[in-house]
Amino acid sequence: MSMGIGTNTQNPDEGELKRDLEKIACGVWFTSTGSVMPKLVKYQDDEGLLHTISQIHILTQEKKYYCGIPIQEYRCSTVLGNQKYLFRLYYYLEENCWKISWEGI
C-alpha cells in the first residue's frame, strides 16, 4: 500500500464500455452552474422510424473514464404508455456526441 504525494492522482478507469450503443440526437438544458441536463432524445429504430423521448427522468449522473475516454453517463427512465423503460445516455465530451444504451434489451 502506497501513501503520499502523487497517490491517486489519476482518474479511475472503468475499462472497456461493453454495451450496445446507438448514436442519438439529444436536446439538453444547461443549468446556471454549468451542469448538463438531457431533456429530449431522438433515435432511429431498426426499421428507420424516428422516435422521440421527451419525458426523461435522470436517476444518476456521473463522469466516468472508459479506456481513458471521458464520458458523462446518465442513468435514466421514461414512461411510454403504461410501460417504464430504463436506459443510459452517454455524452462523449471529446467527440461532442451522444449515445444511448437500453437496459434489459
Side-chain angles (χ1 to χ4, degrees):
M1 181 172 177
S2 66
M3 299 170 68
I5 297 173
T7 304
N8 296 327
T9 58
Q10 294 182 347
N11 297 315
D13 197 291
E14 303 289 325
E16 185 180 346
L17 183 54
K18 296 181 179 180
R19 295 179 159 274
D20 291 331
L21 300 173
E22 304 170 38
K23 287 188 174 185
I24 58 166
C26 187
V28 301
W29 176 264
F30 290 94
T31 67
S32 62
T33 59
S35 295
V36 178
M37 305 297 292
K39 292 293 184 184
L40 177 113
V41 168
K42 288 195 176 198
Y43 66 95
Q44 192 170 19
D45 67 16
D46 293 337
E47 297 172 0
L49 297 173
L50 289 176
H51 299 276
T52 301
I53 301 172
S54 58
Q55 300 295 320
I56 298 172
H57 179 68
I58 299 172
L59 306 171
T60 64
Q61 70 182 66
E62 188 175 0
K63 185 173 184 178
K64 293 186 175 183
Y65 291 83
Y66 289 98
C67 294
I69 299 169
I71 298 174
Q72 191 73 29
E73 180 180 280
Y74 300 84
R75 296 184 77 169
C76 307
S77 68
T78 192
V79 176
L80 298 172
N82 292 330
Q83 182 70 37
K84 181 177 180 178
Y85 295 92
L86 299 173
F87 57 97
R88 294 185 191 197
L89 296 175
Y90 297 93
Y91 176 59
Y92 288 73
L93 286 85
E94 293 176 347
E95 297 177 30
N96 229 4
C97 75
W98 288 86
K99 295 183 181 181
I100 193 169
S101 172
W102 298 99
E103 298 280 334
I105 295 179

